[in-house]
Amino acid sequence: MILVTGTTGQLGGAILDALTAHGAAPLASNRSGQDGTRRIDFDDPDTVSFVGVDTLVLVSAGEAEDDVVIARHETAITAAERDGVQHVVYTSLTSAGDHLAFALAHRWTERRLQHSSLAWTILRNGLYAELFGSLLAWSGDSLGSAFGDGALAAVARADLAEAAAVVATSPSDHVGRSYDLVGEPITAAQVADRLGVPLHSVSLAEQRSTLAEAALKPFQPAMLMSIFTGVRHGFLGGAGDELRTLLGREPADTVAVAAAAASLPFR
């Protein structure tokens, strides 16, 4: 039996759909237990049971400070060890993202799994093309970017979900493997060209000021600024073939995916 955590989130939900498309019958879990899913809330250890689960797809429980995320992942991994889970597939962060402000909890979790009694596979996911597009800001008919001339080896969320499904449906083929799942590098200029609009550059100081005015959680501005500066200064543009290999096909056109995200009505 395969169980996916965090299925009310976009990645968890996409993994659930991908597993179903692969002919699996996965169990869904989330904090609310809504729509007949299993209620598993990592902040409430009494709800965390993986009894009967063979393969656990542990979707990173982010969107919090490091100590909170780490405590959630510790709860999940401890329960997996206790309840006889055979294999954990963890959705982590691309190797190139070590300097990002949200990398630490991912690397802690990888280390915890590697020293656990569980078989594991680590999916070091590249940053979403959808996120890249959504971080471009409209000003009239012009698109603004704090990414400078930097490129991001972006990945479509659906491709990452399918890669997770490939691993989870044949976990014995991927024991002890860490995959760097990144795409071909794309730039803000390419997205603007795809949309047929001008692009203007925004400084990091201007971007920080914009974030300060947004309704964000306290830890989010630093996370987002680390993405802007990481792309801008060339730290997140390295490509790789492991996503293509797992998918057995060419990944999605991430310029198109980013352009679709940038052209959403609220942007």
Side-chain angles (χ1 to χ4, degrees):
M1 180 186 300
I2 302 170
L3 183 142
V4 183
T5 68
T7 55
T8 53
Q10 291 180 308
L11 180 59
I15 293 172
L16 197 68
D17 291 342
L19 282 165
T20 301
H22 276 254
L27 287 177
S29 73
N30 52 63
R31 300 182 66 176
S32 65
Q34 64 186 34
D35 300 325
T37 62
R38 183 180 292 193
R39 180 173 180 252
I40 294 179
D41 180 353
F42 296 149
D43 293 330
D44 183 0
D46 289 342
T47 70
V48 183
S49 172
F50 299 126
V51 172
V53 175
D54 300 308
T55 300
L56 172 64
V57 181
L58 178 58
V59 178
S60 176
E63 287 298 299
E65 298 285 359
D66 286 340
D67 56 345
V68 174
V69 177
I70 287 170
R72 290 170 178 170
H73 292 176
E74 172 62 32
T75 295
I77 295 169
T78 298
E81 292 175 312
R82 177 196 67 210
D83 294 339
V85 171
Q86 296 175 16
H87 194 112
V88 175
V89 180
Y90 174 60
T91 63
S92 188
L93 175 68
T94 173
S95 297
D98 276 349
H99 62 285
L100 293 174
F102 47 97
L104 187 147
H106 285 293
R107 300 300 179 245
W108 182 94
T109 306
E110 292 182 12
R111 185 175 62 184
R112 174 67 175 86
L113 279 172
Q114 290 161 353
H115 290 89
S116 74
S117 60
L118 302 159
W120 52 266
T121 305
I122 293 166
L123 304 179
R124 286 189 154 189
N125 290 346
L127 299 185
Y128 303 144
E130 292 90 340
L131 174 64
F132 187 72
S134 73
L135 292 177
L136 302 173
W138 288 99
S139 176
D141 294 329
S142 175
L143 203 58
S145 166
F147 294 119
D149 296 326
L152 173 67
V155 191
R157 186 184 289 108
D159 280 350
L160 294 174
E162 185 175 341
V166 167
V167 172
T169 52
S170 57
S172 61
D173 295 335
H174 307 281
V175 173
R177 296 290 304 274
S178 295
Y179 294 107
D180 249 308
L181 304 182
V182 294
E184 293 300 315
I186 64 173
T187 66
Q190 288 175 299
V191 177
D193 286 346
R194 186 68 61 94
L195 291 169
V197 298
L199 180 73
H200 67 272
S201 183
V202 176
S203 71
L204 291 179
E206 290 170 315
Q207 184 63 59
R208 188 179 295 276
S209 177
T210 298
L211 293 178
E213 297 171 1
L216 298 175
K217 297 175 183 177
F219 56 87
Q220 288 179 317
M223 290 183 171
L224 293 171
M225 287 304 299
S226 71
I227 296 173
F228 285 117
T229 190
V231 173
R232 188 182 187 105
H233 296 105
F235 284 89
L236 293 167
D241 293 325
E242 292 186 321
L243 177 63
R244 183 180 294 106
T245 299
L246 279 182
L247 296 177
R249 61 168 174 80
E250 288 298 312
D253 177 356
T254 49
V255 174
V257 174
S263 62
L264 290 175
F266 59 85
R267 289 291 169 186

